[in-house]
Amino acid sequence: MAALLKDVVLTPTHPKTLLLQKHVDYIASYGTDKDEYEFCMTEYLRMSGVYWCLTAVELAGQPGRLDREEILSFVRRCQDESGGFGASVGHDPHVLYTLSAIQGRLDAIDVDKATDFVVSCMNFDGGFGSKPGSESHAGLIYCCVGMLSVTGQLHRLDADLLGWWLCERQLPSGGLNGRPEKLPDVCYSWWVLSSLSMLGRLHWIDGAALAGFILACQDAETGGFSDRPGDVPDPFHTLFGLAALSLLGDAAVGAVSPTYCMPQRVVDRLGLRPQRLSV
Ligand SMILES: [Zn+2]
């Protein structure tokens, strides 16, 4: 018997238009109740959360909705004596949150060595896993393609083979999964789509069908996007939903950099020129 394809079913009750103002309201009110259970339980993600929320309201064209001084003061208070940044005030420093706090600085690392390691994680299907020989995974592919884009080494991967693996992630619902036999998820819209964009192969998937899936993942009551239609929204999926719609050409959302997942105007202002291939 043939295996059933894992997917979700979109119904007429799911949203079909972009509820942009609701998403800005959702992000602006997120975390205002500091005693809320969810807010307390996600303290270890706080620094990344600042990045997700800031970028989401930037892309929505309303950066003023978040308190700039409050955020700057929080980021400063998270810096450890060692120079690293923690997830929240008083937490130990960690590379992930240091990245979220600074986003960039290539002059401080051995780029050639780091690039060789990334290329050693490439698989026979063109994809990348977390270490040499690990299964290809869309989230890790984004990290590797992004790294090669930043360092100008995209010629070291097989763009056609990888592009084919990435566009096979699209399911009949229009949504994208991260690996074969997995359900579609809004955040994978970003990991897959941004990788295809850096490879110059964005047109290899059905953009209209994907936009339909992403719009169906909006919460029409509270605002925000969830991983799949009908689930609880969160700032992580809200940013990646908006960012994916930006890459798909939604004029209501500001332009996003596929390499950095930051507003394009910020990347331009910093003078960053990540590599992009063309077919
Ligand atoms: Zn997700």
Side-chain angles (χ1 to χ4, degrees), residues 197-264:
S197 173
M198 287 183 268
L199 297 175
R201 285 154 175 82
L202 194 66
H203 56 291
W204 282 16
I205 60 147
D206 184 337
L210 175 58
F213 173 83
I214 296 171
L215 293 174
C217 295
Q218 299 174 104
D219 189 314
E221 271 178 44
T222 65
F225 291 73
S226 55
D227 56 355
R228 282 180 274 283
D231 286 355
V232 179
D234 61 73
F236 176 86
H237 289 94
T238 301
L239 168 60
F240 294 122
L242 288 172
L245 288 172
S246 169
L247 284 188
L248 289 170
D250 192 315
V253 188
V256 70
S257 158
T259 300
Y260 293 105
C261 196
M262 282 162 46
Q264 187 61 48

